[in-house]
Structure formats: structure tokens, C-alpha cells
Amino acid sequence: MNTPPIYLDHQATTPLDERVLEAMLPFFTSEYGNPSSPHTCGRTAARAIRTAREQVADLVGAKNELEIVFTSGATEADHLAIVGAALAARPHGGHIVTTAIEHKAVLAACQRLVDHHGYTLTRVGVDAHGRVHPADVAAVLTPNTVLVSVMHANNEIGTLQRLAAIAEITAPRGIVLHTDAAQSVGCGLLDVAELGVDLASLSAHKLHGPKGIGALYIRGGLRITAQQTGGGQERGLRAGTPNVPAIVGFGAAAHLITTDAVPPPPRIRALRDRLQDRLLAAIPGATVNGHPHRRLPGNLSLTLPGIEATDLLDRVPGIAASTGSACNTGSGEPSHVLTAIGLTRDQARATLRLSIGRTTTDTDVDQAADLITRTAHTLVPAPANAA
Ligand SMILES: Cc1ncc(COP(=O)(O)O)c(C=O)c1O
């Protein structure tokens, strides 16, 4: 049997936790009811969804489970949030604001409003650490602005944004604040009340839950226009028979985090720092992207000068990692995030994203550091006096 690679791509997706799988299994077989059915089978499924909704609400600090709407993932949640909130607020204005480093799901949803609904869009830039300055957001707001969307943590460089400071600017003006929190929610970093956001997009597969399920947190009382209509499920905000096993799995994965049944972020941060220290010491000129402290605990975006990251990864099949983000991989275009923080096209192409997660071990980190260092030295030989 082939040895599996050392998995350092937890920001692309995470392995399903076995306890999550166990919670899901009955809903594929014996508990197959449609939650809309009024009989016992339907009621069992509806109860399971209610529990999962409470578990996800608890994870993000929502007031109650009615603030959670299940979707097929963060991509759909981004579209429902951005298009749905902007359309509902159309009588108040047609200007929306986002940032230069958003996930493509957010950028595409904003573009949809521009192309099909006549909105104007402003993209705020970031500093060299990938941080959005709240004053820069304030500077572009107009009386016509109805929505601001700023991601909580970046999927490539891990930088965390000061959402609470941005909310202090948007809330008094009645502007809706959305955040894509797909990357931060699994680290227990998202508290919607503390951050003051109105809408937050979530995804289960980034937190050891199943793929194809996510949710949108919608602050109670906020109006949004449904994007998928039909049978009236999810209180009319997302029609379609719910994916019961996946929703149960999302709830179970959330519950593992809120009950501290998983390795805590400091353990992941310590492994990340060990990998970072080893690679910086061994590869001359290597630099870390993203904010030095205010970034996701498992994220390591490294630029290795003179090296094509795809070339390096091709030569180390024993490591599963990413160049830039998984979503940009294969497009041939340098990442818009890396260029937004000021990297040249060559530097962007020389950038690896290594992401540590719950399943990463000390041995994984040490072996990966050795393999990457050796391969980097074959591609760009280290000077004689380098470590
Ligand atoms: C920041 C961010 N937003 C959205 C998504 C898309 O999530 P999903 O795969 O659940 O649609 C991802 C996943 O890569 C992400 O990292």
C-alpha cells in the first residue's frame, strides 16, 4: 500500500473526524425521513436538524438557532449574503464595498450585483500584511452604500481582519456588514456578537466536517432576499430538501469545537511556528507572508526566492500542500491576494501555502521541513556559508 503524503493543506480541506462520521451514519440509512414530513420519520430528521442548528449557532455566538441558515457551503452562503442583502436594501442605495483579497466566491457575488443589478463596487486595498485599515473602509462609504463585505481570515496568508473596528463604522450608518468566516470558524475565532457582523459565511469541510454543507449566520431581524426559492425550506431563505446527514455532521463538528474535544489552536500554532522556524533557518531569503501575529494559527505562506512553487511541490510528492490557494491552483495566474500585498508575479509564483491542522504531528513537521529544504537546495543551491 502506498504511504499517504504528509498532509499540510488543511486550509483547502480537512479530513472528516470519525466522531462526525459516526453521528452522520444513521441519517444515510435508518433515519432517512424528509424533515418536512409530518410523520415520525420526518420529525426525527427535523429534530436532528434543529440540534445541528443549535450546535452551529453556539459555535459562532449567535443569539439563537434561528439565525443559522444551512447552505451547500461557504460559496453559496457568500452569494446568499451579498446578493440577498444588497437586493433587500436596494431602496436605500446601490453601492457595495469589498476588499482586494477576498475569496473568489465573494468577488463573484459582488460582480453579479454589478453586472446584473446595476450596483457600483469599490474594492479596498490592504497593507503589506494583508490587513484592511478601517479608515480606508470609512473613506469609501457614501450615502448610497448598503453593504460592506470583509473576510475574517484570509485563505492564503491567514491574516485576520479588525472586524469589530469596521463594524463600529458600518453599524451607525445602517450598512450591512458581511464576513466570509470559512477559514476562521474552525479555530473557534468567530464570535458574531463580539465582532458586530450582520452576516457570516461558514463551511463544514474546513473544520473536519463533511463537504457540501455550510451555513449563513443572519443577525435576527435583518432582511435578505432568497436566492433559491421553491419549497420554502430554511424559513424560505434556501429552498430544497435539506441534506440531513451533512447538516448533522456540521453540527457534530461544531460541537466538538465548543466542547473542547479537539486539539486547541495553541498546539497547532506551536507546530506551525516550528515548521516556520526550521524553514526560515534553512532556506536563505525565505520570507513569511501575512501578519506576523494576527493570523490563523495553522497558516504558513512562504516565499522561496528563485523557486517555482509548483516545481518544488512536483518534486516532493510525499507532501500534500498548495501553491497560493487551492482555488487559484491550476489557473496559471498569480494569486490576487499575493499581488495585493505587494508581491511581484515572480514572488507570487515562488510562494507555497503550508497549512497545519489537528491531525498534524511533530514528525510530520520535521519530515516536511527536511523534504522541502532538501528540494529547495537542489533547485537553488544554498551559498556555502548558509545554514
Ligand atoms: C475564505 C473562503 N471562502 C469560501 C470558500 C468556499 O467554501 P466552500 O468550499 O464551502 O464553498 C473557501 C474554501 O476554499 C474559503 O477558503
Side-chain angles (χ1 to χ4, degrees):
M1 213 171 87
N2 288 342
T3 335
I6 300 168
Y7 189 74
L8 295 180
D9 210 6
H10 288 83
Q11 283 189 260
T13 195
T14 55
L16 192 74
D17 189 296
E18 281 182 18
R19 294 164 289 184
V20 171
L21 177 63
E22 215 156 283
M24 293 170 68
L25 282 174
F27 294 90
F28 285 109
T29 52
S30 52
E31 309 295 352
Y32 50 80
N34 183 328
S36 302
S37 303
H39 47 65
T40 321
C41 301
R43 280 201 296 272
T44 303
R47 251 194 325 272
I49 290 183
R50 185 187 165 121
T51 301
R53 209 184 294 282
E54 287 168 352
Q55 289 166 324
V56 174
D58 202 22
L59 176 64
V60 304
K63 275 203 217 79
N64 59 56
E65 81 280 5
L66 298 177
E67 293 187 319
I68 301 297
V69 167
F70 287 112
T71 63
S72 62
T75 300
E76 186 190 334
D78 285 338
H79 281 260
L80 177 58
I82 292 168
V83 180
L87 290 183
R90 190 70 183 97
H92 306 292
H95 175 235
I96 57 169
V97 175
T98 190
T99 83
I101 59 161
E102 296 299 312
H103 188 275
K104 288 194 172 166
V106 164
L107 297 177
C110 291
Q111 200 56 44
R112 234 174 92 195
L113 285 167
V114 172
D115 293 344
H116 302 293
H117 301 281
Y119 285 71
T120 54
L121 166 67
T122 306
R123 283 169 69 170
V124 176
V126 293
D127 67 17
H129 291 142
R131 284 199 118 187
V132 175
H133 289 262
D136 291 346
V137 175
V140 300
L141 300 180
T142 75
N144 219 17
T145 311
V146 289
L147 175 96
V148 170
S149 179
V150 177
M151 75 196 315
H152 190 204
N154 185 266
N155 45 306
E156 298 185 43
I157 57 175
T159 298
L160 287 155
Q161 302 299 343
R162 281 166 287 189
L163 286 173
I166 295 171
E168 278 176 23
I169 297 164
T170 52
R173 292 171 164 88
I175 296 170
V176 176
L177 179 60
H178 166 252
T179 191
D180 179 334
Q183 293 285 343
S184 58
V185 63
C187 309
L189 290 170
L190 180 70
D191 183 322
V192 291
E194 207 171 277
L195 297 176
V197 295
D198 301 302
L199 296 161
S201 302
L202 318 171
S203 177
H205 73 97
K206 308 285 188 188
L207 44 97
H208 300 264
K211 294 175 181 58
I213 188 74
L216 180 63
Y217 157 78
I218 306 175
R219 184 177 50 72
L222 181 72
R223 278 192 56 237
I224 67 167
T225 304
Q227 298 302 296
Q228 183 167 304
T229 48
Q233 291 90 347
E234 296 295 291
R235 299 193 331 284
L237 286 169
R238 202 277 186 174
T241 303
N243 183 346
V244 184
I247 289 173
V248 167
F250 190 2
H255 190 61
L256 290 175
I257 298 171
T258 50
T259 53
D260 296 326
V262 296
R267 148 130 191 101
I268 291 169
R269 184 177 296 113
L271 284 169
R272 188 275 311 275
D273 288 348
R274 178 182 174 128
L275 182 61
Q276 174 175 312
D277 292 347
R278 289 199 51 170
L279 292 172
L280 288 182
I283 305 175
T287 50
V288 177
N289 300 305
H291 196 279
H293 317 296
R294 295 278 302 153
R295 77 180 204 274
L296 290 173
N299 171 271
L300 179 56
S301 168
L302 264 189
T303 302
L304 308 174
I307 286 174
E308 280 281 340
T310 46
D311 204 7
L312 185 139
L313 289 180
D314 282 349
R315 288 167 192 246
V316 276
I319 296 178
S322 165
T323 59
S325 83
C327 310
N328 283 319
T329 304
S331 75
E333 271 303 298
S335 138
H336 66 286
V337 175
L338 299 176
T339 49
I341 60 170
L343 267 59
T344 63
R345 289 173 76 90
D346 284 348
Q347 287 170 327
R349 274 197 286 268
T351 300
L352 278 182
R353 182 187 68 179
L354 306 166
S355 42
I356 309 287
R358 282 182 211 165
T359 52
T360 312
T361 64
D362 296 84
T363 315
D364 287 343
V365 162
D366 292 341
Q367 286 181 350
D370 288 344
L371 280 168
I372 293 170
T373 302
R374 250 185 282 135
T375 313
H377 288 167
T378 61
L379 292 168
V380 175
N385 61 354

